[in-house]
Amino acid sequence: MYLVMGITGKVGGATARHLLKEGKQVRALVRNRENAAKWAEQGVELVDGDWNDATAIAAALKGVEGAFVTLPVVWAPSPDYREAKGVIANYVEALTKVVFPRVVALSSMGAHRTSGVGNIMALSLLEQGLRSLPSPVACVRAGGFFENLLFGLQAAQGGTLPVFYNPTNRKSTMVATDDIGAEVATLLTGPAWSGHRVIEMGSMVSADEVAGQLGEVLTLDVKAFPVPRAGWAETFQQFGIPKGHTGPAEEMFEGINAGWMDLGIAGTEHVVGTTSARDVFAAAQNAVKA
């Protein structure tokens, strides 16, 4: 039995799919059973609760061979990242009660830094918190999700894909969430290890390359267009981040553009994804047509 936190999210869902494909039993901690109904239909054991309840997490961990943990996405965090700190404290409290065979955490490129990375600071705090655990821990530092650019299927109909990457020909780490889920499942079920591991997940890809692959799917000539720095705040607001709270997202992309989240941090392992941006765009487009 394996516990998957965040099963209704992209990476949690991908992890569960790969575990189920391998014939493993999966348990999920959920706040809303209706939102997770499709997983129950596939045999996933649903446990009521959420990451704000250490007791519920501890109950969900009983009898598992391994656990996948992640943080809820908070695009407009408090200045002190108290939302993340609360969840991390609950994880640590629950996971220190019993020494588990292994724990795998979703992190991000850039989480080795302790400042200047905006939203990724929450994942830096997660890695720091998990270092105190006696269990074997693997942190998967994923690159930017190709899925975060799926808006381009509509936005790029005019031939341009607006991005925060600048310059657009500079490569940064990107990956498909299905590849992350596959790696997490492999870590949970594969050979045992001791201590702490950090796995960098993804490949170096430029926004220009992503736009080109999107164009192949749309059968259009698509070019990446860097959103002017002065327009970032307004653009993030259009994506749903409240006015006055776009700072962490802006700082994150400044860090990406500065190269702070590139591959090759000392002491890490590296796993290359096998799913391209083209694959992600095509799958999403086919799903709409189905």
Side-chain angles (χ1 to χ4, degrees), residues 143-231:
F145 298 171
F146 288 135
E147 287 80 359
N148 289 342
L149 294 168
L150 282 174
F151 70 89
L153 288 170
Q154 296 299 322
Q157 292 292 332
T160 59
L161 175 66
V163 296
F164 297 103
Y165 300 99
N166 194 1
T168 57
N169 64 352
R170 189 193 183 285
K171 296 187 177 185
S172 60
T173 316
M174 298 189 193
V175 67
T177 54
D178 188 66
D179 287 343
I180 305 171
E183 176 60 17
V184 171
T186 296
L187 289 166
L188 287 172
T189 62
W193 73 89
S194 60
H196 288 229
R197 300 168 63 185
V198 176
I199 296 92
E200 294 183 336
M201 184 83 215
S203 304
M204 296 295 285
V205 183
S206 71
D208 285 341
E209 291 172 320
V210 172
Q213 293 180 36
L214 173 60
E216 292 173 16
V217 173
L218 295 176
T219 62
L220 293 172
D221 181 20
V222 177
K223 302 295 184 183
F225 168 74
V227 177
R229 181 64 184 87

Side-chain angles (χ1 to χ4, degrees), residues 95-100 130-137 195-196:
L95 289 164
T96 51
K97 292 180 178 178
V98 179
V99 178
F100 292 92
L130 296 180
R131 289 191 190 119
S132 66
L133 296 179
S135 301
V137 175
H196 288 229

Side-chain angles (χ1 to χ4, degrees), residues 16 28 42 63 68 71 93 106 128 142 161 166 191 197 209 213 216 267 278:
Q42 296 177 60
F68 168 65
L71 292 178
E93 179 182 338
L106 175 63
Q128 294 172 47
L161 175 66
N166 194 1
R197 300 168 63 185
E209 291 172 320
Q213 293 180 36
E216 292 173 16
R278 181 191 301 103

